[in-house]
Amino acid sequence: MLLILDAQASPETIEALKDRLARMGLVPHAAGHDGAAIGLVEIMDAKTRAELAKLPGVRKLVPMPEPYRLANRAFHPQPTLVRVGSAEIGGRAVVLMAGPCAVESRAHIFEMARLVKAAGIPILRGGAYKPRTSPYAFQGLGEQGLAFLKEAGEAHDLAVVSEVMDASQIPAITEHVDLIQVGARNMQNFSLLAALGKLNKPVLLKRGLSATLQEWLMAAEYVMAGGNEQVILCERGIRTFETATRNTFDVSAVPVLREMTHLPIIVDPSHAIGVRDKVIPLARAGIAAGADGAIVEFHTCPEEALSDGPQALYPEQLTQLVRELDGIARAIGRELS
Ligand code: PEP
Ligand code: MN
């Protein structure tokens, strides 16, 4: 619900209104609309709505039909900017993140960090807790991997992003990374999302394998409802009947979400398509559609990668990716950060 404020209301009237809302058990959020407004996230009955409409300082009530409130563009018309290290995601600059699927060893992640830095990319990725389909596959180096990632990031002045799979990993992940990734398989792990809502650390929320845009925004809402509004959405492909690609990249999600939410949106062409030679064209499409950035997997030797080798770019392809995405970004009035 949006309470549109009376343009003539004095600051004292607005303060009194906020006190009154608090006494009614409602939490006022700053919101924008066609004038100043207060946003309320609570579900309320007709009696409460009628009471609100009569309060001094309130010009009118605008109901919000969508169940996502804090993530709603109507609540917050300006884009949200999320800072990760030196990069700001959601502004004019397009931000890239790159690295291996998994942190494989100290030496390897250091070499990957060097290549990321040389390509002019500000954020290094690397999974330490890996959600693998098979329990027999490489599960990641765990906390040791996080320590290697952090060290490599610091050595090359890069921010780092890694996935959390379970709330018990939150202390370790918070200590080691600048951006916490929630993987597709955990998008509706509501207790994990609520726990991340208590942190003061940005969250990269990947789209669930079969999640609608609304379900995805409701997952973001779980994090935001806890007080952490630093959420970045990541389109990483969804499950369809197609088997030629790992997933189906939903490029339409980018412009459609843009209207639904103020949160930054990035794309992950690597997991979306799963095929190395198609990653760059897909990344170009995502940026052309208006994404605020892209996260991409690459590897010094994809043939020997411990996970997701077939979709990993070669280092020279990373350089090509940066060059081409810069061209796309400039064509639409943006630039790479
Ligand atoms: C990953 O980023 O390595 C990953 C497992 O991604 P997703 O959750 O999108 O499958
Ligand atoms: Mn991967």
Side-chain angles (χ1 to χ4, degrees), residues 204-278:
L204 179 65
L205 180 62
K206 291 196 149 194
R207 183 181 186 175
L209 281 88
S210 63
T212 64
L213 299 186
Q214 180 162 306
E215 285 164 343
W216 189 9
L217 289 177
M218 290 311 289
E221 192 81 15
Y222 261 91
V223 180
M224 299 174 84
N228 185 357
E229 304 207 346
Q230 305 167 76
V231 180
I232 302 166
L233 302 166
C234 178
E235 164 61 40
R236 48 78 72 208
I238 49 175
R239 267 290 161 83
T240 68
F241 50 81
E242 184 53 70
T243 55
T245 54
R246 184 173 179 182
N247 291 289
T248 297
F249 184 51
D250 180 11
V251 72
S252 61
V254 177
V256 176
L257 274 178
R258 183 69 75 209
E259 196 172 286
M260 297 168 85
T261 184
H262 51 87
L263 296 173
I265 307 153
I266 70 163
V267 291
D268 173 349
S270 305
H271 292 88
I273 200 152
V275 184
R276 176 178 311 116
D277 288 342
K278 312 290 180 285

Side-chain angles (χ1 to χ4, degrees), residues 101 125 130-131 163 181 183-185 206 236 271 297:
C101 178
R125 66 151 286 151
K130 294 303 305 173
E163 176 169 351
Q181 177 174 324
R185 291 154 194 82
K206 291 196 149 194
R236 48 78 72 208
H271 292 88
E297 289 184 353

Side-chain angles (χ1 to χ4, degrees), residues 32-328:
H33 196 64
D34 55 346
I38 290 178
L40 299 172
V41 298
E42 294 84 358
I43 295 171
M44 51 189 92
D45 56 21
K47 186 165 158 280
T48 311
R49 286 199 299 272
E51 198 180 329
L52 289 175
K54 284 195 249 126
L55 294 178
V58 175
R59 178 158 66 84
K60 65 173 175 174
L61 259 57
V62 177
M64 236 190 233
E66 301 86 8
Y68 49 94
R69 311 268 158 85
L70 299 172
N72 201 317
R73 171 75 74 178
F75 231 78
H76 190 293
Q78 298 311 318
T80 284
L81 306 179
V82 177
R83 178 160 286 283
V84 179
S86 63
E88 195 168 60
I89 303 162
R92 181 166 171 271
V94 168
V95 179
L96 302 186
M97 312 178 189
C101 178
V103 178
E104 299 184 356
S105 69
R106 186 176 181 279
H108 186 251
I109 197 69
F110 265 73
E111 174 59 3
M112 295 292 288
R114 190 186 67 74
L115 292 166
V116 168
K117 187 70 183 181
I121 294 174
I123 304 174
L124 171 69
R125 66 151 286 151
Y129 303 112
K130 294 303 305 173
R132 305 306 301 281
T133 303
S134 166
Y136 311 118
F138 175 59
Q139 303 287 306
L141 298 181
E143 206 167 330
Q144 175 80 94
L146 288 177
F148 292 158
L149 180 70
K150 182 179 163 81
E151 230 192 302
E154 282 172 357
H156 292 277
D157 193 24
L158 296 166
V160 296
V161 51
S162 198
E163 176 169 351
V164 66
M165 281 175 54
D166 183 272
S168 67
Q169 298 159 353
I170 288 179
I173 201 104
T174 314
E175 191 190 320
H176 292 96
V177 310
D178 304 287
L179 174 61
I180 303 177
Q181 177 174 324
V182 175
R185 291 154 194 82
N186 260 320
M187 190 207 80
Q188 284 190 317
N189 182 340
F190 299 119
S191 55
L192 176 63
L193 297 173
L196 295 172
K198 300 281 173 239
L199 307 179
N200 180 20
K201 181 85 56 173
V203 173
L204 179 65
L205 180 62
K206 291 196 149 194
R207 183 181 186 175
L209 281 88
S210 63
T212 64
L213 299 186
Q214 180 162 306
E215 285 164 343
W216 189 9
L217 289 177
M218 290 311 289
E221 192 81 15
Y222 261 91
V223 180
M224 299 174 84
N228 185 357
E229 304 207 346
Q230 305 167 76
V231 180
I232 302 166
L233 302 166
C234 178
E235 164 61 40
R236 48 78 72 208
I238 49 175
R239 267 290 161 83
T240 68
F241 50 81
E242 184 53 70
T243 55
T245 54
R246 184 173 179 182
N247 291 289
T248 297
F249 184 51
D250 180 11
V251 72
S252 61
V254 177
V256 176
L257 274 178
R258 183 69 75 209
E259 196 172 286
M260 297 168 85
T261 184
H262 51 87
L263 296 173
I265 307 153
I266 70 163
V267 291
D268 173 349
S270 305
H271 292 88
I273 200 152
V275 184
R276 176 178 311 116
D277 288 342
K278 312 290 180 285
V279 168
I280 294 180
L282 219 57
R284 290 196 307 251
I287 300 307
D292 298 305
I295 181 165
V296 178
E297 289 184 353
F298 82 108
H299 199 282
T300 47
C301 184
E303 296 74 19
E304 286 172 18
L306 297 183
S307 61
D308 283 350
Q311 69 195 32
L313 297 179
Y314 291 107
E316 55 276 20
Q317 288 179 297
L318 188 72
T319 319
Q320 180 194 344
L321 175 86
V322 171
R323 194 175 57 244
E324 295 187 6
L325 293 189
D326 190 47
I328 301 275

